[in-house]
Amino acid sequence: MSDERYEAIIIGAGMSGSWVAKELCDKGIKTLMLDRGPDVKHLRDYPTASKYPWEYEYRGAMSNEHTKANPIASRCYAYKDGATHFFAEDSEHPYVQAKPFDWIKGYQVGGKSLLWARQTQRWSQYDFSTPDTNGFGISWPISYKDIAPWYSHVEKFVGISGEKDGLDVLPDGEFQPPKEITVIDKHLRRVVKENYSDRHVIYARCAHLTDPQEIHREQGRGQCQNRTVCERGCPFGGYFSANSSTIPWAQRTGNLTLKGDSVVHSVLYDETTGKANGVKVIDANTKVETMYYADVIFLNAGSINSTAILLNSKSKRYPSGLGNDNGLLGKNFGFHNYRARLSATCPGFEDKVVDGRSPTNVYMPRYVNLNKDQEDFKGAYGVAIYTARYRKQDVKSVGSDLVNDLMKPKNFKPWTIISMIMGETLPKESNSISLDSTQVDQYGIPLIKFDVGYDDNDEKMMEHFFQEWEEIYAKAGFTNIERIDTGQAPGLDIHEMGGARMGLDPKTSILNADNQVHSVDNLYVTDGACMTSTSYQNPSLTYMALAARAADHYFRRRKL
Amino acid sequence: MKRRKALRNLVLFSLGAGLIYSCKDKYEAIKQLKLKNLQVEPYHLDLLDDLSKVILPLHQIPELKDHIALPFILNMVDKVYDSKDRQMFIDGYMTFDSEVMLLQGKKYSEMEIADKQLLITKLNEEKLVASLELYAVFNTVKAKSIQYLTNTEYYQRKINNYEMAPGRFRGDVLLTELKNMNDE
């Protein structure tokens, strides 16, 4: 037992939790931040950050033993030799799948901010309004103008590389200079501009420093070096992670207490005051239980774990989970549909190549279903576009000829392109997460059960993407066009959202417009669990902006 | 230039020992791998080593003249291959000599270099009616020898112009402007 008391407790030291910590600590609030995983200190705990490709035992491959022990994590694009230590082991963290769901977990201080794809596109007013106007969800309780200043606030601190595109479907932000794009990106951009007035190929905005400012130097961060081994942790702080940025910033204020290896069992509820008053924590190593108390609690354990903690926080007043008066906690769980890809060869441009590596790509924002449904599906999709020209290895020969062929430096394959749908999935009660009634984890906490799947709307959206992009490819002169449906399970997009959604009406939502639980106003949920709908953009920028906004809401309310 | 050098030095702090093997310590290097699924007798180690050298004579590259690919090949088969592919490889090298004897009238180990090269060429062109296991050995040794070469520091820097930091990205570059394009 402990009677440690803080003004604020933050559950989860990842992308959004670290933003709450920074904001509260900057304002002088004594804060405890808990994370279920071990501490990962910037620089000190990046053991593979500067390891060269030739130093890896399997030269980039994964051992059979590792892949077998981690069948889910190993499906993730970032699960590479050199980064596996930032993924939770599948065998140690089981969950129940009523339908297949690939849950990619980063259990350490910093969470998945070490592993993210660093794409940072703002939401637009269309994204906030179409669930309501196009009739596929409840209204968001906030609009773009409510969050726009917080996007700017976060972007300036994080450092976003981007171009001012002037698009209302993807508002501009506070940008540092963009990196280069490829000659095929430029060609595609030109073709799209010549043929379509509503479509735009833009530089995909990303959280990489291309022109560090004083605020970044104060964080100890420097320019992105195009190493593209970000998932190992960046010793330059070239991309934003909680570990390189917000956490050390908050620690320097002297107001943050950070405790790793602290698995939160539940949020404590005081029946007499009707408030949350603390958390019950299990030490990840010793399994000893401890209580911590605070005036305000922020849940930032990630969409899935935050929802699960609420479901597991049972009391006389809330027998089915804290704040769950309407029975919707865990329901309307969303993700992004990343199944559809279109690949092709790009003839021409034989005299051009790329030199080096880029951490980003180009992108097409949404252009259909803006004010009303124009197609036979609902929701939006954007497209991530990757173009490349790889070296060719002539390996047909043997002996001296093989040596000579391999040592030729001038061999390149034709240019290639692959475009990937980033599709909105529609909120629905049947996509849900819940607590299993019989099975528990190593801490005695009920296992999380997933009942999440694709639907007919997702299939129609994919078909639309295929048809539209086959046309675009044809106009661009691309050949060998091939449709790919990866068939991947939900979850591998790593954009889990919802479960404790925001809304105007307590009958249909769990959180209000300021991310407070409707009936427990000193409990904020400011990670992906709060999302009312998913739209199509990579969501971390929005989580960070919502987290900073909610922390500010608490601070202003506290002063009253 | 000073800045580039400083950045390069910064990332050298964790430079570990590369997995480079020399002929002299071949057996010791293999012992250190602590293979779990392969128990290769010295006779077969020599056979596989020789096969690798005939398929891809690394010694012809002056900068890699002391390199041997065998420990890497065995490590990959032992720890990365699935059990089915691994067993094919094992069955293949165990019967390699006897099968070659049947096909060519001479054990591989007793062949002159020219005969070995001829055999390898036939296997490479799939002109030899041989077992799947024998082809599994050939294909594995060839593929992993290539992987070893193309992942050496020398190859990465010389052919791929690899630099960890400062890295670079130019997306629209004339082929003729690439750093190593004038080397030919």
Side-chain angles (χ1 to χ4, degrees), chain B residues 98-140:
Chain B
S98 54
E99 189 168 351
V100 169
M101 178 81 178
L102 274 176
L103 294 168
Q104 304 290 94
K106 208 183 260 185
K107 280 184 177 178
Y108 178 83
S109 51
E110 291 168 0
M111 285 180 173
E112 297 297 322
I113 183 67
D115 290 336
K116 287 177 180 174
Q117 286 166 340
L118 190 63
L119 171 74
I120 293 307
T121 302
K122 282 182 186 171
L123 283 169
N124 192 48
E125 292 168 357
E126 297 183 3
K127 284 183 176 165
L128 212 57
V129 183
S131 68
L132 289 175
E133 288 79 4
L134 189 136
Y135 270 107
V137 169
F138 170 76
N139 289 330
T140 295

Short mmCIF file of all heavy atoms in Angstrom, two decimals, chain B residues 98-140:
data_model
loop_
_atom_site.label_atom_id
_atom_site.label_comp_id
_atom_site.label_asym_id
_atom_site.label_seq_id
_atom_site.Cartn_x
_atom_site.Cartn_y
_atom_site.Cartn_z
N SER B 98 27.97 -38.63 -52.63
CA SER B 98 27.57 -39.88 -53.27
C SER B 98 26.71 -39.62 -54.50
O SER B 98 26.83 -40.33 -55.51
CB SER B 98 26.83 -40.79 -52.28
OG SER B 98 25.77 -40.09 -51.69
N GLU B 99 25.88 -38.62 -54.44
CA GLU B 99 25.04 -38.32 -55.60
C GLU B 99 25.88 -37.78 -56.75
O GLU B 99 25.67 -38.15 -57.92
CB GLU B 99 23.93 -37.33 -55.22
CG GLU B 99 22.92 -37.17 -56.34
CD GLU B 99 21.65 -36.43 -55.94
OE1 GLU B 99 21.45 -36.15 -54.75
OE2 GLU B 99 20.88 -36.10 -56.86
N VAL B 100 26.82 -36.91 -56.42
CA VAL B 100 27.70 -36.38 -57.46
C VAL B 100 28.51 -37.52 -58.08
O VAL B 100 28.74 -37.56 -59.29
CB VAL B 100 28.61 -35.26 -56.89
CG1 VAL B 100 29.72 -34.89 -57.87
CG2 VAL B 100 27.78 -34.03 -56.54
N MET B 101 28.90 -38.45 -57.22
CA MET B 101 29.65 -39.63 -57.70
C MET B 101 28.82 -40.40 -58.74
O MET B 101 29.33 -40.79 -59.80
CB MET B 101 29.95 -40.53 -56.49
CG MET B 101 30.66 -41.80 -56.82
SD MET B 101 32.43 -41.47 -57.01
CE MET B 101 33.03 -43.11 -57.31
N LEU B 102 27.56 -40.58 -58.42
CA LEU B 102 26.67 -41.28 -59.35
C LEU B 102 26.49 -40.52 -60.66
O LEU B 102 26.48 -41.11 -61.74
CB LEU B 102 25.28 -41.44 -58.71
CG LEU B 102 25.07 -42.66 -57.81
CD1 LEU B 102 23.68 -42.61 -57.18
CD2 LEU B 102 25.23 -43.95 -58.62
N LEU B 103 26.38 -39.21 -60.52
CA LEU B 103 26.09 -38.39 -61.70
C LEU B 103 27.32 -38.14 -62.55
O LEU B 103 27.25 -38.11 -63.78
CB LEU B 103 25.50 -37.04 -61.26
CG LEU B 103 24.12 -37.08 -60.59
CD1 LEU B 103 23.80 -35.73 -59.94
CD2 LEU B 103 23.05 -37.44 -61.61
N GLN B 104 28.46 -37.89 -61.88
CA GLN B 104 29.66 -37.44 -62.60
C GLN B 104 30.80 -38.47 -62.56
O GLN B 104 31.86 -38.22 -63.13
CB GLN B 104 30.18 -36.12 -61.99
CG GLN B 104 29.15 -35.00 -61.97
CD GLN B 104 28.83 -34.49 -63.35
OE1 GLN B 104 27.87 -34.94 -63.98
NE2 GLN B 104 29.62 -33.56 -63.87
N GLY B 105 30.60 -39.54 -61.80
CA GLY B 105 31.65 -40.56 -61.73
C GLY B 105 32.80 -40.20 -60.82
O GLY B 105 33.84 -40.86 -60.80
N LYS B 106 32.65 -39.16 -60.06
CA LYS B 106 33.74 -38.72 -59.18
C LYS B 106 33.13 -37.97 -58.00
O LYS B 106 32.15 -37.23 -58.19
CB LYS B 106 34.66 -37.77 -59.96
CG LYS B 106 36.09 -37.75 -59.50
CD LYS B 106 36.90 -36.74 -60.28
CE LYS B 106 37.70 -37.40 -61.39
NZ LYS B 106 38.58 -36.44 -62.08
N LYS B 107 33.70 -38.17 -56.81
CA LYS B 107 33.24 -37.39 -55.66
C LYS B 107 33.59 -35.92 -55.87
O LYS B 107 34.64 -35.62 -56.46
CB LYS B 107 33.94 -37.86 -54.39
CG LYS B 107 33.38 -39.11 -53.77
CD LYS B 107 34.15 -39.36 -52.47
CE LYS B 107 33.59 -40.56 -51.75
NZ LYS B 107 34.37 -40.81 -50.53
N TYR B 108 32.77 -35.05 -55.31
CA TYR B 108 33.04 -33.62 -55.45
C TYR B 108 34.42 -33.26 -54.89
O TYR B 108 35.20 -32.54 -55.52
CB TYR B 108 31.96 -32.80 -54.72
CG TYR B 108 32.18 -31.31 -54.78
CD1 TYR B 108 31.78 -30.58 -55.90
CD2 TYR B 108 32.80 -30.63 -53.73
CE1 TYR B 108 31.99 -29.20 -55.96
CE2 TYR B 108 33.02 -29.26 -53.79
CZ TYR B 108 32.61 -28.56 -54.91
OH TYR B 108 32.84 -27.21 -54.98
N SER B 109 34.71 -33.86 -53.73
CA SER B 109 35.98 -33.51 -53.06
C SER B 109 37.20 -34.00 -53.84
O SER B 109 38.31 -33.53 -53.60
CB SER B 109 35.99 -34.07 -51.64
OG SER B 109 35.67 -35.44 -51.69
N GLU B 110 36.98 -34.89 -54.74
CA GLU B 110 38.13 -35.42 -55.51
C GLU B 110 38.26 -34.75 -56.88
O GLU B 110 39.14 -35.08 -57.65
CB GLU B 110 37.96 -36.94 -55.68
CG GLU B 110 38.13 -37.69 -54.36
CD GLU B 110 37.69 -39.15 -54.46
OE1 GLU B 110 37.25 -39.56 -55.56
OE2 GLU B 110 37.76 -39.84 -53.44
N MET B 111 37.35 -33.84 -57.16
CA MET B 111 37.37 -33.19 -58.48
C MET B 111 38.43 -32.10 -58.57
O MET B 111 38.76 -31.46 -57.57
CB MET B 111 36.00 -32.52 -58.75
CG MET B 111 34.90 -33.46 -59.11
SD MET B 111 33.39 -32.49 -59.38
CE MET B 111 32.32 -33.77 -59.98
N GLU B 112 38.93 -31.90 -59.77
CA GLU B 112 39.77 -30.74 -60.04
C GLU B 112 38.87 -29.50 -60.07
O GLU B 112 37.66 -29.63 -60.29
CB GLU B 112 40.47 -30.89 -61.41
CG GLU B 112 41.42 -32.08 -61.49
CD GLU B 112 42.58 -31.96 -60.52
OE1 GLU B 112 43.08 -30.82 -60.32
OE2 GLU B 112 42.96 -32.99 -59.92
N ILE B 113 39.46 -28.35 -59.93
CA ILE B 113 38.67 -27.12 -59.89
C ILE B 113 37.82 -26.94 -61.17
O ILE B 113 36.66 -26.52 -61.10
CB ILE B 113 39.57 -25.88 -59.61
CG1 ILE B 113 38.73 -24.61 -59.50
CG2 ILE B 113 40.66 -25.71 -60.64
CD1 ILE B 113 37.82 -24.55 -58.33
N ALA B 114 38.38 -27.29 -62.31
CA ALA B 114 37.63 -27.12 -63.56
C ALA B 114 36.38 -27.99 -63.57
O ALA B 114 35.32 -27.57 -64.04
CB ALA B 114 38.53 -27.46 -64.75
N ASP B 115 36.52 -29.23 -63.04
CA ASP B 115 35.36 -30.12 -62.97
C ASP B 115 34.31 -29.58 -62.00
O ASP B 115 33.10 -29.69 -62.24
CB ASP B 115 35.79 -31.53 -62.53
CG ASP B 115 36.60 -32.21 -63.62
OD1 ASP B 115 36.43 -31.83 -64.80
OD2 ASP B 115 37.41 -33.09 -63.28
N LYS B 116 34.79 -29.03 -60.89
CA LYS B 116 33.87 -28.44 -59.92
C LYS B 116 33.10 -27.29 -60.56
O LYS B 116 31.88 -27.16 -60.40
CB LYS B 116 34.64 -27.91 -58.69
CG LYS B 116 35.17 -28.99 -57.78
CD LYS B 116 35.99 -28.38 -56.64
CE LYS B 116 36.53 -29.46 -55.71
NZ LYS B 116 37.43 -28.91 -54.68
N GLN B 117 33.82 -26.46 -61.29
CA GLN B 117 33.18 -25.31 -61.94
C GLN B 117 32.16 -25.78 -62.97
O GLN B 117 31.07 -25.20 -63.09
CB GLN B 117 34.23 -24.41 -62.60
CG GLN B 117 35.00 -23.60 -61.57
CD GLN B 117 36.26 -22.96 -62.14
OE1 GLN B 117 36.77 -23.39 -63.19
NE2 GLN B 117 36.77 -21.94 -61.47
N LEU B 118 32.50 -26.86 -63.66
CA LEU B 118 31.57 -27.41 -64.66
C LEU B 118 30.30 -27.93 -63.99
O LEU B 118 29.18 -27.68 -64.45
CB LEU B 118 32.27 -28.53 -65.43
CG LEU B 118 31.54 -29.05 -66.67
CD1 LEU B 118 31.39 -27.94 -67.72
CD2 LEU B 118 32.29 -30.24 -67.27
N LEU B 119 30.50 -28.64 -62.88
CA LEU B 119 29.36 -29.17 -62.12
C LEU B 119 28.46 -28.03 -61.64
O LEU B 119 27.23 -28.08 -61.78
CB LEU B 119 29.86 -29.99 -60.92
CG LEU B 119 28.78 -30.42 -59.94
CD1 LEU B 119 27.94 -31.56 -60.51
CD2 LEU B 119 29.39 -30.86 -58.60
N ILE B 120 29.08 -27.02 -61.09
CA ILE B 120 28.33 -25.86 -60.56
C ILE B 120 27.58 -25.16 -61.69
O ILE B 120 26.43 -24.75 -61.52
CB ILE B 120 29.30 -24.89 -59.84
CG1 ILE B 120 29.87 -25.53 -58.58
CG2 ILE B 120 28.63 -23.56 -59.50
CD1 ILE B 120 28.86 -26.08 -57.62
N THR B 121 28.22 -25.04 -62.82
CA THR B 121 27.56 -24.40 -63.97
C THR B 121 26.33 -25.19 -64.40
O THR B 121 25.28 -24.64 -64.67
CB THR B 121 28.55 -24.26 -65.15
OG1 THR B 121 29.68 -23.51 -64.69
CG2 THR B 121 27.91 -23.54 -66.33
N LYS B 122 26.48 -26.54 -64.43
CA LYS B 122 25.34 -27.39 -64.81
C LYS B 122 24.20 -27.25 -63.80
O LYS B 122 23.03 -27.17 -64.18
CB LYS B 122 25.78 -28.86 -64.88
CG LYS B 122 26.54 -29.22 -66.12
CD LYS B 122 26.86 -30.71 -66.07
CE LYS B 122 27.75 -31.12 -67.21
NZ LYS B 122 28.23 -32.51 -67.02
N LEU B 123 24.56 -27.24 -62.52
CA LEU B 123 23.53 -27.08 -61.49
C LEU B 123 22.86 -25.72 -61.63
O LEU B 123 21.64 -25.59 -61.51
CB LEU B 123 24.14 -27.21 -60.09
CG LEU B 123 24.46 -28.63 -59.61
CD1 LEU B 123 25.30 -28.59 -58.34
CD2 LEU B 123 23.18 -29.43 -59.37
N ASN B 124 23.66 -24.72 -61.91
CA ASN B 124 23.13 -23.37 -62.03
C ASN B 124 22.16 -23.26 -63.20
O ASN B 124 21.17 -22.53 -63.14
CB ASN B 124 24.29 -22.38 -62.21
CG ASN B 124 23.86 -20.95 -62.06
OD1 ASN B 124 23.17 -20.62 -61.09
ND2 ASN B 124 24.23 -20.09 -62.98
N GLU B 125 22.45 -24.00 -64.24
CA GLU B 125 21.58 -23.97 -65.44
C GLU B 125 20.50 -25.04 -65.37
O GLU B 125 19.76 -25.23 -66.33
CB GLU B 125 22.45 -24.13 -66.70
CG GLU B 125 23.34 -22.93 -66.93
CD GLU B 125 24.41 -23.18 -68.00
OE1 GLU B 125 24.49 -24.33 -68.51
OE2 GLU B 125 25.16 -22.23 -68.30
N GLU B 126 20.46 -25.73 -64.24
CA GLU B 126 19.48 -26.80 -64.01
C GLU B 126 19.53 -27.84 -65.12
O GLU B 126 18.52 -28.36 -65.58
CB GLU B 126 18.07 -26.23 -63.85
CG GLU B 126 17.95 -25.33 -62.64
CD GLU B 126 16.54 -24.81 -62.40
OE1 GLU B 126 15.64 -25.19 -63.15
OE2 GLU B 126 16.37 -24.02 -61.47
N LYS B 127 20.76 -28.13 -65.54
CA LYS B 127 20.94 -29.10 -66.62
C LYS B 127 21.29 -30.49 -66.09
O LYS B 127 21.51 -31.41 -66.86
CB LYS B 127 22.04 -28.63 -67.57
CG LYS B 127 21.56 -27.51 -68.49
CD LYS B 127 22.62 -27.11 -69.47
CE LYS B 127 22.08 -26.06 -70.43
NZ LYS B 127 23.15 -25.39 -71.18
N LEU B 128 21.36 -30.59 -64.79
CA LEU B 128 21.70 -31.86 -64.18
C LEU B 128 20.43 -32.47 -63.58
O LEU B 128 19.71 -31.80 -62.84
CB LEU B 128 22.72 -31.61 -63.07
CG LEU B 128 23.75 -32.70 -62.80
CD1 LEU B 128 24.55 -33.04 -64.05
CD2 LEU B 128 24.69 -32.23 -61.70
N VAL B 129 20.17 -33.72 -63.94
CA VAL B 129 19.00 -34.39 -63.34
C VAL B 129 19.43 -34.89 -61.96
O VAL B 129 20.04 -35.95 -61.83
CB VAL B 129 18.50 -35.54 -64.23
CG1 VAL B 129 17.25 -36.17 -63.60
CG2 VAL B 129 18.21 -35.04 -65.63
N ALA B 130 19.17 -34.10 -60.96
CA ALA B 130 19.62 -34.43 -59.61
C ALA B 130 18.46 -34.30 -58.63
O ALA B 130 17.39 -33.79 -58.97
CB ALA B 130 20.77 -33.49 -59.21
N SER B 131 18.70 -34.74 -57.40
CA SER B 131 17.63 -34.72 -56.39
C SER B 131 17.32 -33.29 -55.96
O SER B 131 18.13 -32.38 -56.11
CB SER B 131 18.07 -35.52 -55.17
OG SER B 131 19.13 -34.85 -54.52
N LEU B 132 16.12 -33.13 -55.40
CA LEU B 132 15.74 -31.82 -54.87
C LEU B 132 16.68 -31.40 -53.74
O LEU B 132 16.98 -30.23 -53.56
CB LEU B 132 14.30 -31.87 -54.32
CG LEU B 132 13.19 -31.98 -55.36
CD1 LEU B 132 11.84 -32.14 -54.68
CD2 LEU B 132 13.18 -30.75 -56.27
N GLU B 133 17.15 -32.40 -52.99
CA GLU B 133 18.04 -32.12 -51.86
C GLU B 133 19.37 -31.55 -52.33
O GLU B 133 19.90 -30.61 -51.75
CB GLU B 133 18.27 -33.39 -51.03
CG GLU B 133 17.07 -33.85 -50.22
CD GLU B 133 16.02 -34.59 -51.05
OE1 GLU B 133 16.27 -34.82 -52.26
OE2 GLU B 133 14.96 -34.94 -50.51
N LEU B 134 19.88 -32.12 -53.44
CA LEU B 134 21.15 -31.62 -53.97
C LEU B 134 20.98 -30.17 -54.46
O LEU B 134 21.81 -29.31 -54.19
CB LEU B 134 21.64 -32.52 -55.10
CG LEU B 134 23.06 -32.21 -55.56
CD1 LEU B 134 23.86 -33.50 -55.75
CD2 LEU B 134 23.06 -31.43 -56.87
N TYR B 135 19.85 -29.94 -55.13
CA TYR B 135 19.59 -28.57 -55.58
C TYR B 135 19.36 -27.62 -54.40
O TYR B 135 19.72 -26.45 -54.46
CB TYR B 135 18.39 -28.54 -56.54
CG TYR B 135 18.81 -28.74 -57.98
CD1 TYR B 135 18.57 -29.92 -58.64
CD2 TYR B 135 19.49 -27.72 -58.66
CE1 TYR B 135 18.98 -30.11 -59.95
CE2 TYR B 135 19.90 -27.89 -59.98
CZ TYR B 135 19.65 -29.09 -60.62
OH TYR B 135 20.08 -29.26 -61.92
N ALA B 136 18.80 -28.18 -53.32
CA ALA B 136 18.59 -27.33 -52.12
C ALA B 136 19.92 -26.84 -51.56
O ALA B 136 20.07 -25.69 -51.16
CB ALA B 136 17.82 -28.10 -51.06
N VAL B 137 20.91 -27.73 -51.57
CA VAL B 137 22.24 -27.33 -51.09
C VAL B 137 22.83 -26.26 -52.01
O VAL B 137 23.29 -25.21 -51.56
CB VAL B 137 23.18 -28.55 -51.00
CG1 VAL B 137 24.62 -28.10 -50.77
CG2 VAL B 137 22.74 -29.47 -49.89
N PHE B 138 22.77 -26.54 -53.31
CA PHE B 138 23.33 -25.58 -54.26
C PHE B 138 22.65 -24.21 -54.13
O PHE B 138 23.32 -23.17 -54.02
CB PHE B 138 23.18 -26.10 -55.69
CG PHE B 138 23.53 -25.06 -56.73
CD1 PHE B 138 24.85 -24.74 -56.99
CD2 PHE B 138 22.52 -24.36 -57.40
CE1 PHE B 138 25.18 -23.74 -57.92
CE2 PHE B 138 22.84 -23.38 -58.33
CZ PHE B 138 24.17 -23.06 -58.59
N ASN B 139 21.33 -24.23 -54.15
CA ASN B 139 20.59 -22.95 -54.11
C ASN B 139 20.82 -22.19 -52.81
O ASN B 139 20.94 -20.97 -52.80
CB ASN B 139 19.10 -23.19 -54.33
CG ASN B 139 18.79 -23.61 -55.76
OD1 ASN B 139 19.50 -23.21 -56.69
ND2 ASN B 139 17.78 -24.45 -55.95
N THR B 140 20.85 -22.93 -51.71
CA THR B 140 21.08 -22.28 -50.41
C THR B 140 22.48 -21.67 -50.35
O THR B 140 22.64 -20.51 -49.95
CB THR B 140 20.90 -23.30 -49.26
OG1 THR B 140 19.54 -23.71 -49.25
CG2 THR B 140 21.27 -22.69 -47.92
#
